[in-house]
Amino acid sequence: MSFSILSKRTLLTTLGLTLPLSLAACGGDDDDGHSHEADAGQVQADAAAGDPDAATDVTVTLNFEAMVGTEAFACSDGKAAKTYTNVGTAASEVSFKDFRFYVSEVRLIDDADNEVALTLENDGAFQLQTDADGHVALLDFEDGTGNCTDSGNSNINTSVSGTVPPGNYTGVVFELGVPFAMNHLDVATAESPLNISALYWAWAIGHKFARIDYTVIGGAAWNFHLGSTGCATEGMTSPPTEECSKPNRPIIRIENFSHETDVITLDAAAIVADSDLTTNAGMTPGCMSFSQDEPDCTPLFPNLGIDYATGACIGDCADQSIFSLAE
Amino acid sequence: MYDRGMSMGSSLGTCGQGRRLLLLGVVAFAAAACGDDVEPMGEPVDASVPVEYDAAPVDPNIFVWDMVPEGLPKPFVPEENPMTYTKVELGRYLFFDEQLSGNGTQSCGSCHEQELAFADGIALPIGSTGEVVPRNSLGLMNVAYHTTFTWMNPEFHDLRTQIQVPLFGEFPVELGVSGNDEEVLMRFSIDPDYIARFAAAFPDEDDPITFGNIAKALASFVRSMVSFDSPYDRHSYKGDTTAMSESALRGQELFFEERIDCHHCHGNFHFSLNVRHENTVFIETGFANNGLYNVGNNGSYPAPSEGLVAITERIQDRGKMRTSSLRNVAITGPYMHDGSIETLEEVLDMYERGGRFVTSGPNVGDGRDNPFKSEFVHGFVLTEQERADVLAFLESLTDETFLVDPKFSNPFEQ
């Protein structure tokens, strides 16, 4: 089994945590009488387990958490904006105005290394599953408090739920972003969660895959907006007909993962670990993924596993350092 | 029943001198109030009196959003106040009727003139008793697509609530109904035409002439004011590739660029982040400090229009105003919440500079350094051609059809 996709720190964490938890979670015999190995991701059909004809899909929930370094993310501590220290190369103190991101192409990896797609529950709000275009889910950690009042709202979502065939799942892989077929739908008529103005990118007629807006205390805003760029369109009101030249969709692959016990974290401090938040080198505040933002985005994108110049994964995005499993 | 205190610090500039409309309106009012045909209350009324309406709906209780182009969502309509043609039409009469002010001198239409997309062309309107309203009259196109109403109150999520302000507000007085409530209602209660219209609009009610129903009818009329026939709309939604000039098309590209960043606050079909429609799941509001002022160098905007902070009491909300829709923006000047910028060119100057520098007077301060300014107001440099192109694009948002549409016209002028 390859662990190359995880950073060393993450790998150690994963090895240290997952196995004991797995034993705790799945160590015993199951109802169907089969004895299983200690795999955290064992998924079974509740009904008629053991009957191959009734191998109905089972529901799984992937839990996410937003972090800032070692601290859990929050817009506020109830009233005032919550602040975090030591963020970026200038060790800035920051608060946040937004923390939302889309995930898609969510698959569980079974013990034979097969990737099995989740069919998302179409909840009319945070998750959208279509026959033609696949699925997308919005993870929303801003609750409209503190400094998140401007673009945010009170709703939050910290998990992705869907169904998969029963299986022994030991890993997860997903993309940070909106699939091309869904990304350029008109925000005015698209279904939720693709119809949120604050996550729409008018200039590329696409979506912000991630919107994580930092505010340096005593300084200025520093925004991270990820999305596809270099999209060939006939004009600002025509969507592109083929994939943009820089898709900018990090592929996140996490092994030794149990959906039952593990929590997938996105660390806002890791995103800007190589960025100086006290200066804005490019044209717009922070890294907003367009060509003239090169000075701000070039050092940041490798943390996503992406080469800013090409918009593609470096390798398999295996060296991404922003997602890991909660300790 | 009505919270009259809500107008303090939150009212929308609504009724100033209506000028031409005022004069015509006075005649209409005089005719209605003093005409020989006024019948005493209690006279039998035929509630089936047909209400003239150009669209001639088959069923007056089923409102059709036929002005919303294919490919765009319809407005959100609260369950408590479904759209009907009879209510919309009653609302149109009420909107333009000066009987709906305490002293009978103003209507909503006095400060919301159709040929100006229902703005009024002056910086600050003046209410029915002569008091200055502290904020600029907003244009009323596509109001139904806004999440919140008025410049700086985040709590007005229902037009019926907002409408209480111009009707009943006392600080300042706008229409001045407060204290004259019974008299104002009586004017409608003795008017056979209104008795029939209220009965048709609220057929299940025994006594439909109430301020609650007046607000429902006004909200329905204002909600029906949909504008989607600008050159931009014809180009974008109706397949007319010749509707926009080359210059306007170049301006459109600039508008949506990261360099100028207009789109961060104004980048959708509504040209405002403060947008809500029939399919909206997550309620979004759009308020921003745009660097118009920086009084005392502490981010303040001049009283009594301090921004959202006046309601939320959060310092970081200083100067935050609703990002208004840019539809018909070329004819809804003067601009900003206090009408302090005369022309669109000057508005562009301000954003190009990254904020306005007030160099003298009580409001001196450099808005560019306002600590609560939106990071998207970061300044830019345009060539002369680019400036002309952006302005041409903004002008392509003017919907001439809307400005003369008989559905929204003053019925007392016909």
Side-chain angles (χ1 to χ4, degrees):
Chain A
M1 193 176 290
S2 165
F3 296 107
S4 63
I5 39 78
L6 301 171
S7 67
K8 280 180 185 167
R9 176 173 61 83
T10 310
L11 174 62
L12 290 172
T13 303
T14 307
L15 284 171
L17 260 182
T18 307
L19 293 177
L21 280 174
S22 304
L23 288 165
C26 301
D29 284 355
D30 294 295
D31 293 348
D32 60 2
H34 294 133
S35 182
H36 293 275
E37 292 182 12
D39 291 314
Q42 181 70 30
V43 170
Q44 297 179 50
D46 292 331
D51 178 356
D53 293 329
T56 50
D57 286 355
V58 292
T59 300
V60 298
T61 298
L62 309 181
N63 291 306
F64 287 77
E65 186 172 14
M67 302 292 289
V68 185
T70 55
E71 286 186 82
F73 165 83
C75 289
S76 75
D77 57 13
K79 192 159 173 68
K82 187 169 179 187
T83 60
Y84 299 86
T85 54
N86 202 19
V87 179
T89 57
S92 303
E93 182 180 12
V94 301
S95 63
F96 288 83
K97 293 175 74 173
D98 212 326
F99 200 131
R100 283 180 276 187
F101 58 95
Y102 289 102
V103 297
S104 55
E105 302 284 343
V106 183
R107 289 149 285 164
L108 293 184
I109 306 168
D110 71 14
D111 50 7
D113 219 20
N114 298 310
E115 295 178 1
V116 181
L118 239 67
T119 301
L120 297 197
E121 225 173 80
N122 208 343
D123 65 3
F126 290 105
Q127 303 196 155
L128 176 64
Q129 175 84 46
T130 71
D131 291 338
D133 300 329
H135 64 234
V136 67
L138 175 68
L139 280 308
D140 179 349
F141 291 92
E142 60 74 24
D143 62 0
T145 66
N147 289 336
C148 300
T149 50
D150 287 357
S151 56
N153 54 54
S154 58
N155 312 75
I156 62 167
N157 179 46
T158 63
S159 65
V160 177
S161 288
T163 56
V164 285
N168 188 21
Y169 296 109
T170 58
V172 63
V173 57
F174 59 90
E175 293 186 7
L176 173 60
V178 178
F180 173 75
M182 290 177 158
N183 188 29
H184 305 284
L185 297 174
D186 188 344
V187 67
T189 50
E191 291 179 70
S192 195
L194 297 174
N195 62 358
I196 299 168
S197 287
L199 299 179
Y200 186 65
W201 246 6
W203 65 275
I205 318 180
H207 289 78
K208 301 178 182 91
F209 298 163
R211 178 173 187 163
I212 300 175
D213 293 348
Y214 308 71
T215 300
V216 177
I217 306 301
W222 206 98
N223 300 337
F224 170 55
H225 296 175
L226 178 68
S228 292
T229 62
C231 310
T233 65
E234 287 180 20
M236 283 300 185
T237 52
S238 313
T241 52
E242 55 187 54
E243 179 61 283
C244 306
S245 63
K246 296 181 186 176
N248 288 339
R249 284 190 198 86
I251 299 168
I252 309 300
R253 188 180 173 90
I254 300 174
E255 303 197 13
N256 282 337
F257 167 77
S258 161
H259 65 86
E260 288 174 333
T261 54
D262 281 328
V263 175
I264 303 165
T265 64
L266 174 55
D267 179 2
I271 292 172
V272 297
D274 304 303
S275 302
D276 179 355
L277 303 189
T278 63
T279 63
N280 178 49
M283 181 178 293
T284 52
C287 162
M288 291 161 71
S289 300
F290 75 119
S291 56
Q292 286 141 305
D293 238 352
E294 194 181 342
D296 287 316
C297 291
T298 299
L300 183 151
F301 266 53
N303 296 332
L304 318 175
I306 299 277
D307 176 8
Y308 189 61
T310 65
C313 278
I314 303 165
D316 299 324
C317 286
D319 289 336
Q320 68 83 18
S321 57
I322 62 172
F323 283 97
S324 60
L325 297 180
E327 296 182 21
Chain B
M1 179 173 180
Y2 300 107
D3 178 5
R4 288 160 195 178
M6 75 171 70
S7 65
M8 292 184 66
S10 62
S11 66
L12 155 70
T14 300
C15 278
Q17 301 298 344
R19 300 198 302 264
R20 187 173 64 79
L21 282 180
L22 177 63
L23 295 173
L24 290 164
V26 169
V27 174
F29 168 67
C34 311
D36 296 330
D37 58 350
V38 174
E39 293 176 9
M41 244 188 356
E43 199 74 6
V45 168
D46 180 2
S48 67
V49 169
V51 174
E52 62 273 22
Y53 192 81
D54 286 346
V58 176
D59 182 343
N61 292 316
I62 298 177
F63 189 86
V64 181
W65 293 99
D66 49 6
M67 292 169 70
V68 178
E70 194 89 13
L72 285 178
K74 298 176 184 67
F76 165 77
V77 179
E79 268 178 37
E80 305 76 37
N81 190 25
M83 293 288 283
T84 66
Y85 284 102
T86 46
K87 238 188 294 183
V88 168
E89 189 65 352
L90 169 61
R92 182 166 77 111
Y93 274 76
L94 292 168
F95 185 92
F96 287 105
D97 197 332
E98 292 172 351
Q99 294 185 91
L100 193 55
S101 57
N103 60 14
T105 62
Q106 282 193 342
S107 70
C108 304
S110 302
C111 304
H112 294 288
E113 304 177 25
Q114 185 179 13
E115 65 266 37
L116 297 175
F118 294 97
D120 65 355
I122 56 176
L124 298 177
I126 297 167
S128 60
T129 59
E131 295 183 6
V132 175
V133 178
R135 284 178 282 289
N136 184 255
S137 292
L138 283 157
L140 297 184
M141 61 283 145
N142 293 358
V143 167
Y145 289 100
H146 270 298
T147 309
T148 65
F149 309 103
T150 78
W151 281 102
M152 51 178 240
N153 193 321
E155 305 300 336
F156 287 168
H157 285 264
D158 190 323
L159 275 171
R160 288 176 302 164
T161 316
Q162 180 275 321
I163 282 166
Q164 311 305 320
V165 176
L167 284 178
F168 297 101
E170 295 180 64
F171 307 98
V173 171
E174 297 184 40
L175 289 171
V177 173
S178 252
N180 302 297
D181 316 39
E182 289 182 20
E183 183 191 334
V184 170
L185 274 191
M186 183 63 74
R187 293 171 191 160
F188 299 111
S189 300
I190 61 172
D191 182 330
D193 185 60
Y194 273 110
I195 291 171
R197 289 182 186 283
F198 274 97
F202 302 98
D204 300 331
E205 298 184 31
D206 295 334
D207 183 17
I209 303 183
T210 63
F211 282 111
N213 284 345
I214 286 173
K216 281 185 173 179
L218 284 170
S220 297
F221 174 57
V222 172
R223 192 169 283 125
S224 78
M225 294 178 173
V226 170
S227 167
F228 285 115
D229 200 35
S230 66
Y232 167 83
D233 294 308
R234 295 202 298 274
H235 174 91
S236 302
Y237 301 113
K238 300 177 182 178
D240 181 355
T241 53
T242 63
M244 289 172 72
S245 68
E246 287 299 315
S247 175
L249 287 169
R250 287 193 301 270
Q252 177 174 263
E253 301 288 316
L254 291 163
F255 182 90
F256 288 106
E257 263 186 16
E258 290 285 85
R259 177 163 63 114
I260 304 184
D261 257 348
C262 305
H263 72 86
H264 266 286
C265 297
H266 297 284
N268 53 30
F269 76 96
H270 187 41
F271 292 94
S272 167
L273 269 193
N274 192 283
V275 61
R276 180 178 191 179
H277 55 70
E278 58 177 344
N279 301 320
T280 296
V281 175
F282 303 114
I283 303 300
E284 296 187 272
T285 59
F287 291 90
N289 176 322
N290 65 355
L292 194 64
Y293 292 101
N294 189 11
V295 181
N297 214 30
N298 64 9
S300 294
Y301 275 37
S305 300
E306 299 91 342
L308 273 191
V309 62
I311 310 294
T312 65
E313 301 185 0
R314 293 152 32 97
I315 285 176
Q316 62 263 43
D317 288 341
R318 281 181 181 162
K320 282 183 187 163
M321 302 288 172
R322 189 185 71 170
T323 49
S324 293
S325 171
L326 297 186
R327 288 183 173 278
N328 294 305
V329 70
I331 54 169
T332 55
Y335 302 99
M336 306 300 157
H337 69 277
D338 56 359
S340 62
I341 299 186
E342 196 66 32
T343 66
L344 266 190
E345 288 86 340
E346 293 166 285
V347 171
L348 209 50
D349 287 344
M350 186 201 100
Y351 285 118
E352 189 167 13
R353 190 182 176 277
R356 182 172 66 176
F357 195 4
V358 179
T359 53
S360 61
N363 300 326
V364 67
D366 192 347
R368 185 161 62 183
D369 300 329
N370 191 307
F372 307 110
K373 187 185 73 169
S374 164
E375 67 267 34
F376 301 115
V377 183
H378 47 60
F380 47 81
V381 178
L382 293 177
T383 66
E384 277 309 303
Q385 183 62 53
E386 287 173 332
R387 285 178 67 79
D389 291 342
V390 172
L391 289 168
F393 172 65
L394 293 174
E395 283 161 7
S396 81
L397 301 178
T398 302
D399 176 356
E400 301 282 351
T401 311
F402 181 74
L403 309 183
V404 295
D405 192 324
K407 289 197 291 295
F408 312 130
S409 66
N410 184 342
F412 303 109
E413 285 185 1
Q414 291 171 343

